[in-house]
Amino acid sequence: VITTDDLRFLRSRLEFYEDLSDSEMRDLEKAVMKASYPRGATLRSKRTECLGVLLVRSGGLRVYILSEDGREVTLYRLGPGEVCVLSASCILNSITFDVHIDADQDSEIYQINIGTFDLLMKNNLRVENFTLRNALEKFSDVMWAMEQILFMRFDKRLAVFLLDESARVGAAEVKLTHEEIAKYLGSAREVVSRMLKAFQAEGILEQSRGIIRILDKNKLKGLL
Amino acid sequence: VITTDDLRFLRSRLEFYEDLSDSEMRDLEKAVMKASYPRGATLRSKRTECLGVLLVRSGGLRVYILSEDGREVTLYRLGPGEVCVLSASCILNSITFDVHIDADQDSEIYQINIGTFDLLMKNNLRVENFTLRNALEKFSDVMWAMEQILFMRFDKRLAVFLLDESARVGAAEVKLTHEEIAKYLGSAREVVSRMLKAFQAEGILEQSRGIIRILDKNKLKGLL
């Protein structure tokens, strides 16, 4: 059930809200559902149907592409308050590719029904432009990821990732497996393991029981 | 000087034209200039100012990114009648990356002044809508290029490129240097040379005087 608090959150995050007519607002509010996903759950794969527009209430989502042989490349991540419209690509003619979406933490997600959103978009140019602008911001994120993958040396990319991740959790410890880090960086587990081992040998970090502890942040920053 | 014929071409390619007011139309038509670029000319680099919206009259443009050490990755190409709005990224807040644009043939290009276009976009939601949708289509092109580069084996990518190029010029001969092919595929010249040599050894093609002649199209298709 959607509460007043839920609606307040939606209103604050969907910029087009104030441009909706009263009946459009009612339609939208009836089309929202709230779902919980445990860490690692798949919200969208190539097989799932069109999901609708997503809004993260808590937790986070990871959006990625997947090769035929199972390699993953992370395009971007979405945190609380962020809206995902690529999950509604079936109603966006300009989008001809498919992404996968996982919960990368335990997450609460609002989902706006695709049929209702499609109608809103067709009848209200401000809703359509909001949707297009949101998708276009992701284009920028993807270009950033692409430049990282194609142009940046892997030691540098891993250093950036460890510093970001440690800043995000507010601790010197990163609790991710080599496999998980490889997925975020669009690389292979072996490559991550080798590089972490090299960092360990240089005294930059230590690894024990699946935890990476950053010992020398300045040295890590020196790689950038 | 812009002729009646030029204006007819612009009208047929800018879908929002019929939604403009008379004064908006006059402003737009005053803001168009036509320029010729020889093959290889740079229209836009990280150093150039905001170019405005481009429309290809004849020839073609290549849009690419460039690494600090000079590696290029082609994102997409634009042919006659196609519109480029990424060249106007300075007026699109959602776009935070910079692309390079070259003429990949002798080309005639219409350029719409950025200040005028910015005003049109701010005052007319349909102009904004057209611009966002155009940029978003390029997002799809870039995702395609990215999946090719990250996921497809290089022999397959080179085969696809040679078949496409030969279809495009309507001949079994591809008149591009190894260096140029490497740029289109986001690879290194050495890698292209090595693979072409391998194809030659298999009787798929022959190379002489800078021309690649496809001898066995079916064998090339067999790589896909």
Side-chain angles (χ1 to χ4, degrees):
Chain A
V1 189
I2 297 297
T3 66
T4 323
D5 174 61
D6 291 326
L7 290 179
R8 204 179 305 123
F9 191 80
L10 277 158
R11 281 173 196 208
S12 72
R13 293 299 164 169
L14 302 175
E15 289 157 34
F16 57 76
Y17 225 102
E18 58 193 29
D19 297 311
L20 296 178
S21 70
D22 287 351
S23 77
E24 285 174 328
M25 250 181 229
R26 276 195 302 276
D27 289 342
L28 176 67
E29 294 178 355
K30 271 187 284 185
V32 177
M33 60 168 245
K34 193 177 178 181
S36 295
Y37 295 92
R39 181 179 171 191
T42 298
L43 278 77
R44 183 176 203 272
S45 72
K46 281 204 174 155
R47 277 170 303 278
T48 50
E49 279 168 51
C50 207
L51 252 189
V53 170
L54 306 178
L55 168 61
V56 181
R57 176 68 201 240
S58 66
L61 302 176
R62 182 173 71 97
V63 179
Y64 61 98
I65 50 174
L66 188 65
S67 72
E68 282 170 31
D69 58 351
R71 270 181 60 208
E72 295 182 3
V73 174
T74 300
L75 300 176
Y76 53 87
R77 291 153 93 175
L78 296 166
E82 292 192 281
V83 175
C84 181
V85 302
L86 287 198
S87 50
S89 61
C90 56
I91 57 167
L92 294 168
N93 297 327
S94 333
I95 299 283
T96 58
F97 58 92
D98 276 315
V99 294
H100 295 248
I101 305 176
D102 283 358
D104 70 351
Q105 302 164 50
D106 294 342
S107 302
E108 288 178 300
I109 308 290
Y110 298 112
Q111 296 178 213
I112 305 172
N113 175 276
I114 192 78
T116 305
F117 200 84
D118 191 25
L119 273 178
L120 282 176
M121 218 171 70
K122 282 192 177 119
N123 293 324
N124 191 320
L125 210 50
R126 289 194 190 274
V127 178
E128 186 181 1
N129 284 6
F130 167 86
T131 310
L132 296 173
R133 262 186 281 118
N134 182 290
L136 214 48
E137 281 165 21
K138 301 313 172 233
F139 187 7
S140 295
D141 291 340
V142 165
M143 288 300 298
W144 189 84
M146 190 168 170
E147 296 201 353
Q148 295 274 311
I149 293 171
L150 294 175
F151 294 152
M152 214 195 257
R153 278 165 33 219
F154 188 71
D155 56 347
K156 213 165 159 174
R157 287 173 53 212
L158 184 57
V160 168
F161 178 81
L162 292 173
L163 289 166
D164 283 355
E165 194 59 26
S166 136
R168 199 174 66 84
V169 298
E173 292 178 0
V174 173
K175 291 177 190 170
L176 290 169
T177 67
H178 296 186
E179 183 73 39
E180 286 171 319
I181 297 175
K183 282 185 181 178
Y184 284 125
L185 295 177
S187 180
R189 192 192 51 74
E190 296 74 17
V191 178
V192 172
S193 299
R194 199 179 309 128
M195 194 61 78
L196 285 173
K197 215 167 157 186
F199 284 179
Q200 187 160 0
E202 292 176 52
I204 293 173
L205 50 83
E206 64 176 8
Q207 302 183 73
S208 64
R209 287 179 236 139
I211 292 170
I212 298 163
R213 187 172 295 106
I214 298 171
L215 300 175
D216 192 339
K217 201 169 163 178
N218 287 331
K219 211 164 172 182
L220 199 55
K221 282 185 179 165
L223 291 172
L224 309 190
Chain B
V1 188
I2 297 296
T3 65
T4 323
D5 174 62
D6 292 324
L7 290 179
R8 205 179 304 124
F9 190 81
L10 277 159
R11 282 174 196 205
S12 71
R13 294 298 164 169
L14 302 174
E15 289 157 33
F16 56 77
Y17 226 100
E18 57 193 29
D19 298 310
L20 296 179
S21 69
D22 287 350
S23 78
E24 285 174 328
M25 251 182 229
R26 276 194 302 277
D27 288 343
L28 176 65
E29 295 179 355
K30 270 188 282 185
V32 178
M33 62 168 243
K34 193 177 181 183
S36 295
Y37 294 94
R39 182 180 171 190
T42 298
L43 276 78
R44 183 177 202 273
S45 72
K46 282 205 174 152
R47 277 170 303 278
T48 50
E49 279 168 53
C50 207
L51 253 190
V53 170
L54 306 179
L55 168 60
V56 181
R57 176 68 200 240
S58 66
L61 301 176
R62 183 172 70 98
V63 179
Y64 60 98
I65 50 173
L66 186 65
S67 72
E68 281 171 29
D69 57 353
R71 270 182 59 208
E72 296 182 3
V73 173
T74 300
L75 301 176
Y76 53 87
R77 292 152 91 176
L78 296 167
E82 292 192 282
V83 175
C84 181
V85 303
L86 288 197
S87 50
S89 61
C90 56
I91 57 167
L92 293 167
N93 296 329
S94 334
I95 299 282
T96 57
F97 57 93
D98 275 315
V99 293
H100 293 249
I101 305 175
D102 282 358
D104 70 352
Q105 303 163 48
D106 293 343
S107 302
E108 287 178 300
I109 309 290
Y110 298 112
Q111 296 179 214
I112 304 172
N113 175 277
I114 192 77
T116 304
F117 199 85
D118 191 26
L119 273 178
L120 282 177
M121 217 171 72
K122 283 194 177 120
N123 294 324
N124 190 318
L125 272 179
R126 297 213 173 264
V127 178
E128 184 185 13
N129 184 265
F130 168 87
T131 310
L132 295 172
R133 265 189 289 116
N134 183 291
L136 214 48
E137 282 164 21
K138 301 311 172 236
F139 187 6
S140 295
D141 291 340
V142 165
M143 287 301 297
W144 189 85
M146 190 168 170
E147 296 202 352
Q148 295 274 312
I149 293 171
L150 295 175
F151 294 152
M152 214 195 258
R153 279 165 30 221
F154 189 71
D155 56 348
K156 215 165 157 173
R157 288 173 53 212
L158 184 57
V160 168
F161 178 80
L162 292 173
L163 288 166
D164 283 355
E165 194 60 25
S166 137
R168 199 174 68 83
V169 298
E173 291 178 0
V174 173
K175 291 178 191 168
L176 290 170
T177 67
H178 297 187
E179 183 72 40
E180 286 171 318
I181 296 175
K183 282 186 181 178
Y184 285 125
L185 295 176
S187 180
R189 192 192 51 73
E190 296 74 18
V191 177
V192 172
S193 300
R194 200 180 307 126
M195 194 60 80
L196 285 173
K197 215 167 156 184
F199 285 178
Q200 187 161 0
E202 292 176 51
I204 292 173
L205 51 83
E206 63 175 11
Q207 303 184 73
S208 66
R209 284 179 239 140
I211 293 171
I212 298 163
R213 188 173 294 107
I214 299 170
L215 300 175
D216 192 340
K217 202 169 162 178
N218 287 331
K219 211 164 172 182
L220 198 55
K221 283 186 179 165
L223 292 172
L224 307 192

